mmCIF file of all heavy atoms in Angstrom:
data_model
loop_
_atom_site.group_PDB
_atom_site.id
_atom_site.type_symbol
_atom_site.label_atom_id
_atom_site.label_comp_id
_atom_site.label_asym_id
_atom_site.label_seq_id
_atom_site.Cartn_x
_atom_site.Cartn_y
_atom_site.Cartn_z
ATOM 1 N N ALA A 50 -7.103 -4.407 16.457
ATOM 2 C CA ALA A 50 -7.092 -5.040 17.788
ATOM 3 C C ALA A 50 -8.161 -6.161 17.839
ATOM 4 O O ALA A 50 -7.954 -7.176 18.476
ATOM 5 C CB ALA A 50 -7.342 -3.966 18.810
ATOM 6 N N ILE A 101 -14.417 -5.129 36.450
ATOM 7 C CA ILE A 101 -14.426 -6.148 35.457
ATOM 8 C C ILE A 101 -15.511 -7.167 35.640
ATOM 9 O O ILE A 101 -16.024 -7.719 34.598
ATOM 10 C CB ILE A 101 -13.001 -6.826 35.371
ATOM 11 C CG1 ILE A 101 -12.733 -7.524 34.060
ATOM 12 C CG2 ILE A 101 -12.807 -7.780 36.487
ATOM 13 C CD1 ILE A 101 -12.710 -6.535 32.852
ATOM 14 N N MET A 104 -18.605 -5.680 34.101
ATOM 15 C CA MET A 104 -18.505 -5.773 32.654
ATOM 16 C C MET A 104 -18.765 -7.187 32.127
ATOM 17 O O MET A 104 -19.467 -7.330 31.073
ATOM 18 C CB MET A 104 -17.182 -5.178 32.187
ATOM 19 C CG MET A 104 -16.925 -3.704 32.536
ATOM 20 S SD MET A 104 -15.294 -3.234 31.968
ATOM 21 C CE MET A 104 -15.275 -1.543 32.584
ATOM 22 N N ARG A 124 -14.975 -12.987 28.185
ATOM 23 C CA ARG A 124 -13.804 -12.414 27.594
ATOM 24 C C ARG A 124 -14.099 -11.119 26.799
ATOM 25 O O ARG A 124 -13.191 -10.458 26.389
ATOM 26 C CB ARG A 124 -13.058 -13.410 26.678
ATOM 27 C CG ARG A 124 -12.495 -14.584 27.461
ATOM 28 C CD ARG A 124 -11.969 -15.691 26.528
ATOM 29 N NE ARG A 124 -11.217 -16.686 27.286
ATOM 30 C CZ ARG A 124 -10.872 -17.880 26.823
ATOM 31 N NH1 ARG A 124 -11.175 -18.259 25.579
ATOM 32 N NH2 ARG A 124 -10.099 -18.738 27.564
ATOM 33 N N ILE A 125 -15.336 -10.944 26.501
ATOM 34 C CA ILE A 125 -15.712 -9.800 25.642
ATOM 35 C C ILE A 125 -15.236 -8.422 26.170
ATOM 36 O O ILE A 125 -14.702 -7.645 25.439
ATOM 37 C CB ILE A 125 -17.253 -9.783 25.383
ATOM 38 C CG1 ILE A 125 -17.651 -10.949 24.572
ATOM 39 C CG2 ILE A 125 -17.680 -8.446 24.722
ATOM 40 C CD1 ILE A 125 -19.105 -11.057 24.371
ATOM 41 N N PRO A 126 -15.354 -8.151 27.516
ATOM 42 C CA PRO A 126 -14.770 -6.855 28.013
ATOM 43 C C PRO A 126 -13.331 -6.695 27.749
ATOM 44 O O PRO A 126 -12.811 -5.606 27.468
ATOM 45 C CB PRO A 126 -15.101 -6.916 29.475
ATOM 46 C CG PRO A 126 -16.338 -7.858 29.602
ATOM 47 C CD PRO A 126 -16.102 -8.889 28.568
ATOM 48 N N SER A 127 -12.563 -7.774 27.824
ATOM 49 C CA SER A 127 -11.149 -7.727 27.517
ATOM 50 C C SER A 127 -10.860 -7.339 26.097
ATOM 51 O O SER A 127 -9.986 -6.503 25.784
ATOM 52 C CB SER A 127 -10.403 -9.068 27.893
ATOM 53 O OG SER A 127 -10.498 -9.325 29.278
ATOM 54 N N LEU A 128 -11.688 -7.896 25.214
ATOM 55 C CA LEU A 128 -11.468 -7.584 23.818
ATOM 56 C C LEU A 128 -11.821 -6.134 23.519
ATOM 57 O O LEU A 128 -11.145 -5.385 22.872
ATOM 58 C CB LEU A 128 -12.333 -8.496 22.943
ATOM 59 C CG LEU A 128 -12.248 -8.373 21.444
ATOM 60 C CD1 LEU A 128 -10.800 -8.585 20.961
ATOM 61 C CD2 LEU A 128 -13.227 -9.215 20.678
ATOM 62 N N LEU A 129 -12.909 -5.658 24.223
ATOM 63 C CA LEU A 129 -13.276 -4.270 24.046
ATOM 64 C C LEU A 129 -12.242 -3.339 24.659
ATOM 65 O O LEU A 129 -11.954 -2.255 24.177
ATOM 66 C CB LEU A 129 -14.664 -3.965 24.732
ATOM 67 C CG LEU A 129 -15.828 -4.724 24.120
ATOM 68 C CD1 LEU A 129 -17.075 -4.484 24.959
ATOM 69 C CD2 LEU A 129 -16.084 -4.276 22.640
ATOM 70 N N GLY A 130 -11.617 -3.790 25.729
ATOM 71 C CA GLY A 130 -10.533 -2.940 26.354
ATOM 72 C C GLY A 130 -9.314 -2.809 25.412
ATOM 73 O O GLY A 130 -8.759 -1.738 25.287
ATOM 74 N N ALA A 131 -8.968 -3.898 24.706
ATOM 75 C CA ALA A 131 -7.920 -3.797 23.730
ATOM 76 C C ALA A 131 -8.232 -2.890 22.556
ATOM 77 O O ALA A 131 -7.414 -2.106 22.116
ATOM 78 C CB ALA A 131 -7.504 -5.277 23.189
ATOM 79 N N MET A 132 -9.510 -2.972 22.152
ATOM 80 C CA MET A 132 -9.957 -2.079 21.029
ATOM 81 C C MET A 132 -9.909 -0.614 21.496
ATOM 82 O O MET A 132 -9.522 0.289 20.768
ATOM 83 C CB MET A 132 -11.373 -2.510 20.608
ATOM 84 C CG MET A 132 -11.384 -3.844 19.951
ATOM 85 S SD MET A 132 -13.094 -4.453 19.647
ATOM 86 C CE MET A 132 -13.575 -3.199 18.381
ATOM 87 N N LEU A 133 -10.349 -0.381 22.754
ATOM 88 C CA LEU A 133 -10.307 1.014 23.284
ATOM 89 C C LEU A 133 -8.875 1.465 23.380
ATOM 90 O O LEU A 133 -8.583 2.698 23.032
ATOM 91 C CB LEU A 133 -10.924 0.986 24.696
ATOM 92 C CG LEU A 133 -10.850 2.324 25.491
ATOM 93 C CD1 LEU A 133 -11.579 3.422 24.740
ATOM 94 C CD2 LEU A 133 -11.470 2.117 26.885
ATOM 95 N N ALA A 134 -7.889 0.655 23.789
ATOM 96 C CA ALA A 134 -6.527 1.061 23.844
ATOM 97 C C ALA A 134 -5.989 1.443 22.507
ATOM 98 O O ALA A 134 -5.338 2.454 22.333
ATOM 99 C CB ALA A 134 -5.656 -0.060 24.530
ATOM 100 N N ALA A 135 -6.270 0.628 21.508
ATOM 101 C CA ALA A 135 -5.825 0.898 20.148
ATOM 102 C C ALA A 135 -6.469 2.160 19.586
ATOM 103 O O ALA A 135 -5.758 2.983 18.933
ATOM 104 C CB ALA A 135 -6.098 -0.305 19.192
ATOM 105 N N TRP A 136 -7.751 2.339 19.827
ATOM 106 C CA TRP A 136 -8.449 3.599 19.388
ATOM 107 C C TRP A 136 -7.879 4.810 20.057
ATOM 108 O O TRP A 136 -7.596 5.770 19.377
ATOM 109 C CB TRP A 136 -9.986 3.472 19.694
ATOM 110 C CG TRP A 136 -10.660 4.684 19.273
ATOM 111 C CD1 TRP A 136 -11.308 4.854 18.103
ATOM 112 C CD2 TRP A 136 -10.866 5.906 19.987
ATOM 113 N NE1 TRP A 136 -11.913 6.139 18.024
ATOM 114 C CE2 TRP A 136 -11.643 6.820 19.208
ATOM 115 C CE3 TRP A 136 -10.456 6.356 21.304
ATOM 116 C CZ2 TRP A 136 -11.981 8.066 19.665
ATOM 117 C CZ3 TRP A 136 -10.845 7.612 21.723
ATOM 118 C CH2 TRP A 136 -11.604 8.435 20.963
ATOM 119 N N ALA A 137 -7.683 4.750 21.335
ATOM 120 C CA ALA A 137 -7.183 5.999 22.037
ATOM 121 C C ALA A 137 -5.748 6.243 21.658
ATOM 122 O O ALA A 137 -5.387 7.503 21.489
ATOM 123 C CB ALA A 137 -7.263 5.703 23.602
ATOM 124 N N LEU A 158 0.009 -1.225 18.528
ATOM 125 C CA LEU A 158 -0.386 -1.568 19.912
ATOM 126 C C LEU A 158 -1.403 -2.737 19.909
ATOM 127 O O LEU A 158 -1.241 -3.707 20.711
ATOM 128 C CB LEU A 158 -1.014 -0.377 20.587
ATOM 129 C CG LEU A 158 -1.563 -0.595 22.006
ATOM 130 C CD1 LEU A 158 -0.512 -1.081 22.943
ATOM 131 C CD2 LEU A 158 -2.227 0.692 22.491
ATOM 132 N N LEU A 164 -0.899 -7.565 24.224
ATOM 133 C CA LEU A 164 -2.250 -7.008 24.306
ATOM 134 C C LEU A 164 -3.255 -8.000 23.534
ATOM 135 O O LEU A 164 -4.334 -8.162 24.058
ATOM 136 C CB LEU A 164 -2.304 -5.679 23.653
ATOM 137 C CG LEU A 164 -3.650 -4.975 23.718
ATOM 138 C CD1 LEU A 164 -4.187 -4.902 25.149
ATOM 139 C CD2 LEU A 164 -3.633 -3.568 23.096
ATOM 140 N N ALA A 168 -6.419 -9.705 25.310
ATOM 141 C CA ALA A 168 -7.701 -9.409 24.736
ATOM 142 C C ALA A 168 -8.588 -10.627 24.720
ATOM 143 O O ALA A 168 -9.813 -10.482 24.661
ATOM 144 C CB ALA A 168 -7.556 -8.824 23.369
ATOM 145 N N THR A 173 -8.402 -8.559 34.104
ATOM 146 C CA THR A 173 -8.459 -7.088 34.114
ATOM 147 C C THR A 173 -7.547 -6.413 33.192
ATOM 148 O O THR A 173 -7.777 -5.204 32.886
ATOM 149 C CB THR A 173 -8.152 -6.633 35.513
ATOM 150 O OG1 THR A 173 -6.817 -7.117 35.884
ATOM 151 C CG2 THR A 173 -9.138 -7.141 36.625
ATOM 152 N N ASP A 174 -6.507 -7.022 32.631
ATOM 153 C CA ASP A 174 -5.369 -6.278 32.138
ATOM 154 C C ASP A 174 -5.622 -5.512 30.829
ATOM 155 O O ASP A 174 -5.169 -4.468 30.632
ATOM 156 C CB ASP A 174 -4.225 -7.248 32.026
ATOM 157 C CG ASP A 174 -3.851 -7.834 33.399
ATOM 158 O OD1 ASP A 174 -3.285 -7.043 34.196
ATOM 159 O OD2 ASP A 174 -4.197 -8.980 33.650
ATOM 160 N N ALA A 175 -6.387 -6.163 29.877
ATOM 161 C CA ALA A 175 -6.673 -5.453 28.660
ATOM 162 C C ALA A 175 -7.517 -4.287 28.899
ATOM 163 O O ALA A 175 -7.337 -3.239 28.265
ATOM 164 C CB ALA A 175 -7.300 -6.458 27.615
ATOM 165 N N MET A 176 -8.528 -4.362 29.712
ATOM 166 C CA MET A 176 -9.427 -3.179 29.996
ATOM 167 C C MET A 176 -8.669 -2.122 30.776
ATOM 168 O O MET A 176 -8.872 -0.967 30.601
ATOM 169 C CB MET A 176 -10.668 -3.700 30.734
ATOM 170 C CG MET A 176 -11.639 -2.588 31.001
ATOM 171 S SD MET A 176 -12.277 -1.698 29.469
ATOM 172 C CE MET A 176 -13.314 -2.927 28.789
ATOM 173 N N LEU A 177 -7.786 -2.616 31.651
ATOM 174 C CA LEU A 177 -6.917 -1.613 32.389
ATOM 175 C C LEU A 177 -6.042 -0.817 31.364
ATOM 176 O O LEU A 177 -5.987 0.390 31.431
ATOM 177 C CB LEU A 177 -6.056 -2.293 33.379
ATOM 178 C CG LEU A 177 -5.067 -1.368 34.085
ATOM 179 C CD1 LEU A 177 -5.735 -0.394 35.025
ATOM 180 C CD2 LEU A 177 -3.958 -2.232 34.871
ATOM 181 N N CYS A 178 -5.506 -1.510 30.395
ATOM 182 C CA CYS A 178 -4.717 -0.880 29.386
ATOM 183 C C CYS A 178 -5.566 0.115 28.586
ATOM 184 O O CYS A 178 -5.167 1.238 28.292
ATOM 185 C CB CYS A 178 -4.141 -1.891 28.411
ATOM 186 S SG CYS A 178 -3.114 -1.196 27.062
ATOM 187 N N GLY A 179 -6.873 -0.287 28.226
ATOM 188 C CA GLY A 179 -7.755 0.596 27.543
ATOM 189 C C GLY A 179 -8.061 1.838 28.319
ATOM 190 O O GLY A 179 -8.025 2.948 27.746
ATOM 191 N N SER A 180 -8.420 1.677 29.577
ATOM 192 C CA SER A 180 -8.796 2.855 30.340
ATOM 193 C C SER A 180 -7.646 3.757 30.655
ATOM 194 O O SER A 180 -7.797 4.991 30.601
ATOM 195 C CB SER A 180 -9.439 2.389 31.677
ATOM 196 O OG SER A 180 -8.557 1.533 32.434
ATOM 197 N N THR A 182 -4.896 4.116 28.735
ATOM 198 C CA THR A 182 -4.550 4.738 27.484
ATOM 199 C C THR A 182 -5.538 5.807 27.124
ATOM 200 O O THR A 182 -5.188 6.917 26.654
ATOM 201 C CB THR A 182 -4.511 3.696 26.380
ATOM 202 O OG1 THR A 182 -3.618 2.655 26.748
ATOM 203 C CG2 THR A 182 -3.996 4.336 25.071
ATOM 204 N N ILE A 224 -11.494 -0.931 37.985
ATOM 205 C CA ILE A 224 -11.047 -2.248 37.488
ATOM 206 C C ILE A 224 -9.871 -2.850 38.366
ATOM 207 O O ILE A 224 -9.908 -3.965 38.640
ATOM 208 C CB ILE A 224 -10.643 -2.056 35.997
ATOM 209 C CG1 ILE A 224 -11.861 -1.849 35.145
ATOM 210 C CG2 ILE A 224 -9.858 -3.330 35.519
ATOM 211 C CD1 ILE A 224 -11.522 -1.334 33.801
#
Side-chain angles (χ1 to χ4, degrees):
I101 199 66
M104 294 179 185
R124 293 170 170 167
I125 292 175
S127 294
L128 184 61
L129 294 177
M132 294 172 66
L133 175 61
W136 179 91
L158 175 61
L164 183 57
T173 57
D174 300 288
M176 184 56 75
L177 176 67
C178 180
S180 58
T182 306
I224 290 165

